[in-house]
Amino acid sequence: MSSSPQSLNLLGEIAGALASGAVRIVDLTQPLSERTPVLQLPEPFANTPPLSRRDLSRYDDAGPAWAWSVLELGEHTGTHFDAPIHWITGRDGQDVASVPPERLIGPAVVIDKSAEAAADPDYLLTVDDVRAFEAEHGPLPEGGWLLLRTGWDARADDQDAFLNVEDGRSRTPGPDAECARYLAHETAIVGIGVETVGTDAGSAGGFEPPFPVHGYFLGAGKYGVTQLANLAELPPTGSIIIVAPLRLVDGTGSPARVLALVPSTSASPT
Ligand code: MN
């Protein structure tokens, strides 16, 4: 493979745009700590632990000049990536380590339903919503990621507010079943990103099929990323997302650093 002068020039222009601030990097990752909210499944299902850690040494007798620790956390703790083998529909598909890196960097589009989710925490994204977005902004991009903004990132410091369980029912927004099928099977995107604890709506266990985002996306060899932050800083189109999970062999998912490259001329919070 050889680099054409055009491609060298393009990377140089990107480096220049980053240096000048014409392109900004927005961190879409929630901080990962012992306080990071985690999914709570009802009995009899097993639950993922939150992050915990113990010191191996902290500039002490066990390591006089260094500090380091051991982590325990779920593959699906905090801002994280869902690989196809996470779901039974994708069980013969890719683990995290097998995901081609080309699928982890691509154009991002943001559908903003924060007003709707503020008015109704059970808000469900529909095919009509997506078609209305496409009518205004063009088709969802090949190899792209659809990011669903709901304002839920503002709750991420508080497990109760984040999971929003009322009367044993999790009330959080997400796509409805037909929308999940449409996005996974009829659009060219490779992944969906959300601000909530999972890619499916809180009520999705009762959908037909249950947990349709997981079932359709992972069954189609596509991906999910959850618990995103700062989507308000992204324009509807025109940014690039970088999703960086650990290259975990046999991993069903992985905590991920998720970044976006955003033109600074686009709308930003002021
Ligand atoms: Mn997950």
Side-chain angles (χ1 to χ4, degrees):
M1 212 164 25
S2 65
S3 301
S4 69
Q6 288 85 355
S7 67
L8 285 173
N9 189 39
L10 185 58
L11 287 176
E13 286 175 20
I14 291 171
L18 288 167
S20 73
V23 170
R24 295 187 307 125
I25 297 178
V26 175
D27 202 333
L28 304 184
T29 320
Q30 291 286 0
L32 179 60
S33 77
E34 288 78 352
R35 296 179 51 246
T36 299
V38 294
L39 183 68
Q40 298 283 316
L41 295 176
E43 294 282 340
F45 304 118
N47 272 300
T48 193
L51 171 69
S52 64
R53 61 189 133 186
R54 64 181 167 83
D55 282 350
L56 289 171
S57 71
R58 190 151 296 267
Y59 326 116
D60 52 20
D61 290 346
W66 53 92
W68 55 351
S69 62
V70 175
L71 308 181
E72 184 189 27
L73 77 172
E75 292 171 317
H76 300 255
T77 297
T79 299
H80 74 269
F81 176 83
D82 285 351
I85 65 165
H86 176 44
W87 215 250
I88 192 163
T89 53
R91 65 191 300 168
D92 298 322
Q94 295 162 351
D95 65 353
V96 184
S98 304
V99 175
E102 293 80 6
R103 307 262 285 180
L104 298 174
I105 301 180
V109 298
V110 180
I111 295 185
D112 183 359
K113 294 297 177 186
S114 51
E116 289 81 352
D120 175 12
D122 298 310
Y123 179 78
L124 299 179
L125 185 76
T126 66
V127 173
D128 283 348
D129 290 331
V130 177
R131 291 211 170 108
F133 180 91
E134 291 184 302
E136 184 176 355
H137 298 285
L140 299 186
E142 178 89 34
W145 286 73
L146 171 63
L147 307 179
L148 175 57
R149 172 162 150 66
T150 54
W152 223 257
D153 60 339
R155 300 169 177 244
D157 288 337
D158 179 337
Q159 165 122 346
D160 289 342
F162 194 67
L163 300 182
N164 201 37
V165 175
E166 287 180 27
D167 301 325
R169 207 162 64 83
S170 174
R171 303 188 63 190
T172 61
D176 72 15
E178 175 57 15
C179 185
R181 190 202 60 76
Y182 173 79
L183 291 170
H185 288 178
E186 296 189 35
T187 77
I189 59 170
V190 297
I192 184 169
V194 300
E195 296 170 325
T196 44
V197 77
T199 52
D200 270 297
S203 54
F207 292 0
E208 184 50 48
F211 307 108
V213 177
H214 285 82
Y216 287 124
F217 269 76
L218 303 181
K222 297 185 174 185
Y223 317 109
V225 68
T226 73
Q227 231 153 317
L228 296 174
N230 300 321
L231 293 184
E233 298 187 37
L234 272 56
T237 65
S239 60
I240 289 176
I241 191 171
I242 301 167
V243 181
L246 300 178
R247 197 173 180 190
L248 182 64
V249 174
D250 295 331
T252 72
S254 165
R257 194 70 181 257
V258 185
L259 305 171
L261 274 60
V262 180
S264 64
T265 49
S266 68
S268 61
T270 48

